[in-house]
Amino acid sequence: MSDSSGKLKLGALVALVVGSMIGGGIFSLPQNMAASAGVGAVLIGWGITAVGMLTLAFVFQTLANRKPDLDGGVYAYAKAGFGDYMGFSSAWGYWISAWLGNVGYFVLLFSTLGYFFPIFGEGNTPAAIIGASILLWAVHFLVLRGIKEAAFINLVTTVAKVVPLVLFALICLFAFRLDIFTADIWAVGTPELGSVMNQVRNMMLVTVWVFIGIEGASIFSSRAEKRSDVGKATVIGFVTVLLFLVLVNVLSLGIMTQPELAKLQNPSMAAVLEHVVGHWGAVLISVGLIISLLGALLSWVLLCAEIMFAAAKDHTMPEFLRRENANQVPANALWLTNAMVQIFLVITLFSNSTYLSLIYLATSMILVPYLWSAAYAFLLALRSETYEQALAERKKDLIIGGIALLYAIWLLYAGGVKYLLLSALLYAPGAILFAKAKREVGQPIFTNVEKLIFAAVVIGALVAAYGLYDGFLTL
């Protein structure tokens, strides 16, 4: 997959995108979607998501080709377009989203094991948290020893993810019943879901979560054999994953009704297949998911450390995050990441956080980096920067960038005020690291515009803190 110089070929980059996008989300999709929307809203939502996410994939493709000097993907674009604090906030938001996602993975992993061992419950019982903590530090010390995710492990976990998904799709295709699918298209029988617009809004956040990782190839852009492969890998990976997601979601709605699906325990794909073929179906999906989650955990732990390390290398993050151990692993970034995962694992024990509420929070944290990437692509086309000889391309990219930007803004709206405030609470403390990084290079901390942005973040964080204390906001 990679050539003699260690550079990544197209196949390896596609595997990175597909591998980081298919983690645990798809295995819980039938229940997650049914809990927030009926069949009609699900179809509308997927339509909007497909267009919006495809334009985002094109944005990453365009930026990889037009700005080949910018490595590290999401945060580099924010920094180049909107200054140091926005660049820092993108790296910080992406990092938090990635490790929060890992907390969600642990909860889902032990919820799956709970199918075989009831002591783990829904993944947030004391036994599950102890088990998750042991596993977390086992992965941590594995990575510290310099065991970068071997191509072999990656290949095995990717195959293990895809085989049960293909089987699921084939079996459900034959078991699909149109009368179940069309029984209550607009979810009139479940008024608690609200209007169709509300349903679309609520399912959109779940769809974003299952696409996180779409930027995987651009983060490893400096290691690509051919620069143009980064964009190709992003689009190929996106289309493959979209196909799987829509099949899993839509076919489930023809096997069980929306209220039935909404009541399932996750991973809900297991229960759907069990409904069709009996017990072995649930076992197959559960085993596939456990292997898939272990692979995803390993790659996201590495990704968390990589983003902090890359940002520290160009002085966006403090210098201590740039330190590597004898095995060339960014050790400090890794310790900080996994300490945060551990703290949040303990919090899930007391705040009764489910997989879904962690996912919503992780998703709202990544919306800001996505927003700045889309805005930067739009800005380049608007200013004609790098388009001196390509006027036709400029028009096309202006439209694509514009749609991606509107989609990113719509997602912030879909997330709602609650998650915006909670993410402000996680963004605000980052300024301590930003200030430290600025002091190390002897620069003033904020520009005048950045002072205003930071003030808005602090106000949001204070409101959120009071909300959690008073009880009108919950995790």
Side-chain angles (χ1 to χ4, degrees), residues 80-92:
F82 307 97
D84 290 352
Y85 182 55
M86 285 301 114
F88 170 85
S89 294
S90 263
W92 178 252

Side-chain angles (χ1 to χ4, degrees), residues 266-279:
N266 280 320
S268 43
M269 250 177 88
V272 174
L273 200 57
E274 184 172 34
H275 187 78
V276 181
V277 299
H279 184 63

Side-chain angles (χ1 to χ4, degrees), residues 13-14 16-17 20 213-222 224 229-231 233-234:
L13 288 167
V14 172
L16 260 172
V17 177
S20 51
I214 191 173
E215 68 300 310
S218 71
I219 284 182
F220 290 93
S221 53
S222 60
D229 284 349
V230 173
T234 304

Side-chain angles (χ1 to χ4, degrees), residues 20 26-27 34 60 79 97 127 177 183 192 224 240 247 292 323 328 350 354 379 424-425 436 475:
S20 51
I26 191 167
F27 292 90
F60 288 122
K79 185 174 176 173
S97 173
R177 282 177 45 196
E192 66 270 15
T240 310
L247 275 174
S292 172
R323 287 195 200 123
Q328 264 119 31
F350 297 108
T354 58
L379 211 67
L425 192 56
K436 187 166 162 42
L475 246 184

